[in-house]
Amino acid sequence: MSTINVSLPEALKTFVDDQVSTRGYRTSSEYVRELIRKDRDRQRLRGLLLEGAASPRALTVDAHYYDRLRASGRDAR
């Protein structure tokens, strides 16, 4: 595992220490690793959402769509 050093103002260090002690983390490194993972996941999700928003519409979901869906469910019985 690689190591990096991060300098924090005293107020942020106190905040991190409080998070470690009150939220069940064993170390400040564990807390920071979780923050980084969550940020990576948020960025990945944002990218997927933007990709989906930019993609062409595959089909229109309207009353007719649901009517066809219900009909195919009845036909499958």
Side-chain angles (χ1 to χ4, degrees):
M1 187 177 298
S2 298
T3 301
I4 61 172
N5 295 319
V6 178
S7 298
L8 297 174
E10 190 59 37
L12 286 179
K13 182 186 179 314
T14 300
F15 177 79
V16 169
D17 291 342
D18 289 345
Q19 296 305 299
V20 169
S21 65
T22 61
R23 296 181 63 196
Y25 297 100
R26 290 185 300 254
T27 65
S28 57
S29 292
E30 187 178 286
Y31 174 68
V32 171
R33 280 193 298 271
E34 182 171 330
L35 291 177
I36 292 169
R37 283 187 206 103
K38 284 182 178 181
D39 188 44
R40 180 189 59 197
D41 292 346
R42 274 192 298 273
Q43 287 182 25
R44 189 176 299 145
L45 177 59
R46 184 177 192 279
L48 291 170
L49 290 170
L50 290 173
E51 182 182 323
S55 66
R57 183 181 295 178
L59 58 101
T60 301
V61 177
D62 57 11
H64 297 294
Y65 169 82
Y66 288 109
D67 290 341
R68 290 190 308 270
L69 188 62
R70 280 192 280 288
S72 68
R74 283 190 296 269
D75 294 343
R77 290 183 196 170

